[in-house]
Amino acid sequence: MKTISSEYIKEIKAQIRVINEALKRIQEAEKVQDSAVNNREYNKAKDEAIDASSDVMIALEEAVRLASAMGCETGLYEIHKYHKIVELDFREPHK
């Protein structure tokens, strides 16, 4: 039986798979960095870790968006509410 949340759950699970794969890529890149024998190998692994970290953030943002939409559909949140990930820079004073 298809529910209001079933499509959101399916999409959130897909984003979790993306996150898990990206985390594995980060761990593998860190192993390569630890055992690198030259700068080229180290930098290539470092770039891979950066790309994978970016993939984690993108997937987390999408998962948060989907969870927010699911909450609106089920009546948990008002229809005009929207959740997102916000970047804060603690070097600057916030008001």
Side-chain angles (χ1 to χ4, degrees):
M1 180 173 146
K2 192 171 186 173
T3 65
I4 293 171
S5 300
S6 62
E7 280 302 309
Y8 291 113
I9 291 168
K10 180 180 168 185
E11 291 181 43
I12 290 169
K13 285 182 177 182
Q15 292 305 315
I16 291 170
R17 284 190 293 276
V18 170
I19 291 166
N20 287 332
E21 286 300 314
L23 292 174
K24 287 177 188 175
R25 288 173 37 217
I26 292 169
Q27 288 175 323
E28 187 60 36
E30 287 177 345
K31 287 179 189 175
V32 171
Q33 284 177 309
D34 285 342
S35 63
V37 293
N38 58 44
N39 280 343
R40 177 192 238 187
E41 194 175 295
Y42 180 88
N43 288 333
K44 185 176 178 183
K46 181 180 173 185
D47 290 343
E48 174 62 20
I50 290 168
D51 289 344
S53 294
S54 176
D55 290 347
V56 169
M57 285 302 296
I58 291 166
L60 282 171
E61 286 177 339
E62 182 63 7
V64 166
R65 185 192 70 75
L66 291 164
S68 182
M70 184 172 58
C72 289
E73 288 283 329
T74 59
L76 176 62
Y77 306 117
E78 293 177 23
I79 196 70
H80 301 293
K81 299 274 183 174
Y82 180 80
H83 299 85
K84 66 179 183 175
I85 295 176
V86 177
E87 179 180 302
L88 297 175
D89 186 348
F90 292 113
R91 296 174 295 182
E92 297 175 13
H94 295 291
K95 295 179 182 179

